[in-house]
C-alpha cells in the first residue's frame, strides 16, 4: 500500500512538473497559437483557404496579448483576402508562415483595386516563419497594360501592408507576384530583413518592395532579383534606411517615380548604403515625371558604399520621366525640386558609357548634388562619362571616374 501510494505520489509529482513546464513554456516562450488547420484550412493545393484563414485571423485578432496565426508546412491556395485590425487587446500578432501560399490565377476573383493579401490597421504585426508567398504571376503578366498606358488598371500586389504601426517582416520568400512583391503604404516603423525575392528579369512591374507615405522604414540584408525596381521609394516617404541589399537583375534602387499625381507628399531623410547592384537597368535612380500636376520635393538623400557590376545607368537623376511617351504634354518640366543628394563611394562597372546622368528640371534645377569618391568604369574599357543638365553638382575625391561634367 505504501509502495503503491509512493509510486502514485511520484507519478503525481511528475505530472505536476510536466504541467508546470508546459505552462511556463507557454507563458514564457510561445504565444497563444491559432492554427489555420483548426479553422478549416487544407494544404491540398486545390481548396481556396481564404475563409479559413480569415476565421483564424479574426480569432487571433480578437484575442489578447501575444498571439500567433500558424500556417504549418504545405501548399495552400488562397483567393484575395484582407486581414484587418484593429486588434485592440493584442500586443503582437505573428503571422507565422511555414508553408507556401499560392495566389489564385483567376483575375475575376480580384475586385477593382484588390491586391492578393492585405494586412491593414494593425499594430505589432510580425510576418515571419520561413515560408513563401507565390503570386503565380506568369499567367497575369500578359494582362499588364502599365508599360503602355499612363493610367492603367493595376494588377494585384502580392502582399500589401497598409496603415500598420511597428511591423516586422522577417525571413520570408516571395516569388512571381502579379505586380509588386510587397507594398508598404502609410506605415510607421516597418522593418524588413532576410527577405528573398525572385521573379524573371522581363516580368512587368514586379517591384520588390515599394514604399509610399511611410516613415521609419528599414529594409536590410535581403536578396532581390526581379523585373522592376528592387526597392522603390515613393511620395510622402521619410526616414527610410536601406542597407545590405543584393539587387539584380531588376531596375535597381529607385526614388520615385515622383510627380505623377496632384498633392504628393515630400520625400526626405533617406539613406541607402552597403548594397550590391548587378546586371540591372539602373543602379541608384531618382525619377520624376514631366508635367507634374503639383509641386513637391525630394531632399536629404544619401547613397553610400554601393558596389555596381554591369549596370546600364549606375547613377541617374531623371526629371523627364515619361515612359513610352505617355505624357499628356511632354513640353512641361517637372515641378519636383531635388536637393541635398549625396553619392559617396560608389564603385564598379557601367554597362553604358554614360555612368552618371543628372538630367534635372529646367524649371527647378537640382541643388547641392554631391558626388564623392565615384569610380565607375565602362565595361568596354573606354573611360565613362557624366552628363549634367540643370544640375548644380560637385564632384570630389581622388581617381574620380567619370570626370565631372562642366
Ligand atoms: C499608428 O500611430 C498613429 C499615431 O502615430 C495613430 O494615429 C494610428 O491610429 C496608429 N495605427 C494603429 C493601427 O495603431
Ligand atoms: C557585396 O559584395 C561584397 C564582395 O564584393 C561582399 O563582401 C558583400 O557582403 C556584398 N554585400 C551584399 C549586400 O551583398
Ligand atoms: C538627413 O537624414 C538623416 C537620415 O535620416 C538624418 O539623420 C539627418 O538628421 C537629416 N539631416 C537633416 C538636415 O535633416
Ligand atoms: C572603391 O574603390 C576604392 C578605390 O579603388 C577602394 O578604396 C574602396 O575600397 C572601394 N570600395 C568598395 C565598396 O568597393
Amino acid at each position: 500500500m505504501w509502495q503503491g501510494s509512493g509510486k502514485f505520489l511520484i507519478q503525481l509529482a511528475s505530472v505536476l512538473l510536466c504541467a508546470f513546464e508546459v505552462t511556463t513554456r507557454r507563458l514564457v516562450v510561445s504565444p497563444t497559437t491559432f492554427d489555420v488547420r483548426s479553422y478549416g484550412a487544407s494544404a491540398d493545393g486545390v481548396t481556396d483557404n481564404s475563409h479559413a484563414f480569415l476565421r483564424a485571423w479574426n480569432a487571433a485578432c480578437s484575442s489578447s496579448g501575444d498571439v500567433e496565426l500558424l500556417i504549418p508546412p504545405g501548399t495552400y491556395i488562397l483567393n484575395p483576402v484582407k486581414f484587418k485590425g484593429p486588434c485592440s487587446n493584442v500586443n503582437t500578432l505573428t503571422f507565422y508562415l511555414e508553408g507556401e501560399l499560392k495566389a489564385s490565377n483567376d483575375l475575376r476573383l480580384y475586385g477593382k483595386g484588390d491586391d492578393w493579401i492585405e494586412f491593414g490597421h494593425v499594430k505589432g504585426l510580425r510576418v515571419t516563419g520561413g515560408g513563401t508567398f507565390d503570386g503565380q504571376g506568369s499567367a497575369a503578366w500578359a494582362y499588364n497594360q502599365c508599360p503602355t498606358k499612363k493610367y492603367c488598371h493595376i494588377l494585384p500586389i502580392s502582399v500589401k501592408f497598409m496603415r500598420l504601426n511597428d511591423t516586422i517582416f522577417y525571413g520570408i520568400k516571395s516569388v512571381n507576384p502579379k505586380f509588386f512583391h510587397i507594398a508598404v503604404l502609410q506605415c510607421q516603423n516597418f522593418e524588413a530583413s532576410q527577405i528573398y525575392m525572385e521573379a524573371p528579369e522581363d516580368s512587368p512591374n514586379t517591384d520588390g518592395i515599394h514604399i509610399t507615405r511611410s516613415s521609419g522604414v528599414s529594409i536590410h540584408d535581403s536578396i532581390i532579383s526581379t523585373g522592376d525596381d528592387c526597392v522603390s521609394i515613393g511620395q510622402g516617404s521619410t526616414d527610410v534606411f536601406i542597407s545590405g541589399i543584393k539587387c539584380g537583375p531588376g531596375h535597381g534602387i529607385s526614388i520615385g517615380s515622383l510627380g505623377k499625381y496632384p498633392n504628393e507628399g515630400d520625400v526626405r531623410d533617406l539613406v541607402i548604403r552597403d548594397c550590391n547592384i548587378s546586371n540591372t537597368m539602373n543602379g541608384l535612380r531618382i525619377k520624376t515625371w514631366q508635367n507634374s500636376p503639383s509641386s513637391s520635393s525630394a531632399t536629404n538623400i544619401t547613397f553610400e558604399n554601393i558596389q555596381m557590376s554591369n549596370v546600364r545607368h549606375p547613377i541617374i537623376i531623371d526629371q523627364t520621366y515619361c515612359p513610352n511617351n505617355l505624357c499628356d504634354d511632354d513640353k512641361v518640366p517637372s515641378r519636383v525640386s531635388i536637393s541635398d543628394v549625396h553619392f559617396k563611394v560608389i564603385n564598379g562597372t557601367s554597362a553604358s558609357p554614360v555612368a552618371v546622368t543628372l538630367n534635372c528640371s529646367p524649371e527647378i534645377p537640382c541643388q547641392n548634388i554631391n558626388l564623392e569618391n565615384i569610380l565607375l568604369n565602362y565595361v568596354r574599357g573606354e573611360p565613362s562619362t557624366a552628363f549634367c543638365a540643370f544640375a548644380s553638382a560637385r564632384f570630389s575625391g581622388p581617381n574620380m571616374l567619370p570626370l565631372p561634367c562642366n
Side-chain angles (χ1 to χ4, degrees):
M1 176 156 177
W2 273 112
Q3 256 184 347
S5 73
K7 208 168 161 192
F8 170 73
L9 280 176
I10 289 166
Q11 276 173 352
L12 181 67
S14 64
V15 166
L16 284 174
L17 259 179
C18 242
F20 177 73
E21 269 177 26
V22 168
T23 323
T24 47
R25 200 168 55 219
R26 261 250 150 88
L27 288 177
V28 177
V29 184
S30 91
T32 316
T33 295
F34 298 83
D35 184 330
V36 290
R37 289 174 308 189
S38 313
Y39 294 84
S42 163
D44 59 7
V46 181
T47 315
D48 163 42
N49 286 290
S50 54
H51 296 287
F53 275 46
L54 260 184
R55 283 191 292 272
W57 171 272
N58 289 336
C61 178
S62 54
S63 171
S64 61
D66 295 307
V67 298
E68 178 180 277
L69 182 77
L70 174 67
I71 301 122
T75 297
Y76 302 80
I77 300 292
L78 200 60
N79 286 351
V81 59
K82 289 186 165 74
F83 298 115
K84 286 197 196 139
C87 307
S88 310
N89 299 316
V90 165
N91 181 40
T92 59
L93 198 167
T94 302
F95 188 91
Y96 202 85
L97 176 62
E98 294 179 325
E100 177 187 43
L101 306 185
K102 271 190 193 288
S104 165
N105 256 338
D106 185 352
L107 285 176
R108 289 168 305 183
L109 292 170
Y110 299 80
K112 198 168 155 43
D114 267 5
D115 295 296
W116 176 30
I117 298 172
E118 177 176 329
F119 294 97
H121 300 267
V122 190
K123 184 176 183 298
L125 177 72
R126 278 111 179 79
V127 176
T128 187
T132 302
F133 293 103
D134 180 353
Q136 301 220 85
S138 60
W141 293 328
Y143 299 98
N144 186 332
Q145 308 167 320
C146 295
T148 53
K149 264 173 94 173
K150 186 174 181 185
Y151 299 103
C152 49
H153 172 69
I154 288 177
L155 288 171
I157 293 168
S158 273
V159 184
K160 182 155 94 180
F161 294 102
M162 179 85 179
R163 295 204 171 101
L164 309 181
N165 294 347
D166 308 332
T167 309
I168 293 176
F169 181 49
Y170 171 80
I172 287 286
K173 186 170 171 183
S174 168
V175 299
N176 299 334
K178 291 175 168 49
F179 202 70
F180 300 167
H181 289 260
I182 300 295
V184 178
L185 308 178
Q186 300 175 56
C187 292
Q188 292 178 16
N189 298 329
F190 183 98
E191 180 181 4
S193 63
Q194 306 292 335
I195 305 299
Y196 179 80
M197 291 178 168
E198 198 179 88
E201 187 171 6
D202 59 357
S203 55
N205 300 108
T206 53
D207 291 40
I209 302 186
H210 176 76
I211 302 159
T212 287
R213 285 196 180 272
S214 295
S215 67
V217 178
S218 167
I219 316 280
H220 60 98
D221 302 306
S222 295
I223 299 178
I224 306 175
S225 307
T226 196
D228 207 304
D229 297 333
C230 290
V231 179
S232 55
I233 303 169
Q235 56 108 355
S237 301
T238 61
D239 214 348
V240 177
F241 185 78
I242 312 286
S243 72
I245 305 295
K246 187 168 184 290
C247 164
H251 293 183
I253 297 176
S254 280
I255 305 191
S257 49
L258 306 175
K260 183 175 182 180
Y261 302 105
N263 308 313
E264 291 190 357
D266 295 337
V267 168
R268 65 181 153 77
D269 305 338
L270 317 182
V271 177
I272 293 97
R273 59 173 307 150
D274 308 327
C275 296
N276 292 350
I277 305 180
S278 51
N279 304 311
T280 54
M281 180 189 285
N282 307 289
L284 307 169
R285 171 166 63 159
I286 304 177
K287 56 175 170 172
T288 78
W289 284 78
Q290 283 184 359
N291 193 21
S292 18
S294 56
S295 309
S296 63
S297 70
T299 189
N300 189 23
I301 301 168
T302 299
F303 301 96
E304 186 165 7
N305 194 34
I306 312 285
Q307 190 97 41
M308 303 272 180
S309 170
N310 194 37
V311 173
R312 205 168 329 147
H313 308 291
I315 294 178
I316 177 165
I317 297 180
D318 179 10
Q319 295 210 259
T320 62
Y321 185 66
C322 178
N324 306 310
N325 298 313
L326 301 176
C327 301
D328 311 324
D329 179 356
D330 60 7
K331 301 288 184 294
V332 183
S334 171
R335 289 204 277 155
V336 179
S337 78
I338 297 178
S339 61
D340 302 329
V341 182
H342 300 266
F343 295 94
K344 298 184 203 172
V345 194
I346 309 217
N347 285 9
T349 54
S350 174
S352 77
V354 186
V356 172
T357 301
L358 307 176
N359 191 14
C360 296
S361 169
E363 193 174 299
I364 317 171
C366 294
Q367 295 298 319
N368 194 25
I369 311 297
N370 293 278
L371 294 104
E372 203 179 314
N373 293 315
I374 309 295
L375 188 53
L376 292 165
N377 287 290
Y378 176 35
V379 283
R380 298 259 175 86
E382 306 103 83
S384 65
T385 61
F387 170 85
C388 305
F390 308 104
S392 153
R394 203 170 74 90
F395 289 66
S396 63
N399 309 320
M400 186 81 193
L401 195 71
L403 294 172
C405 36
N406 30 47

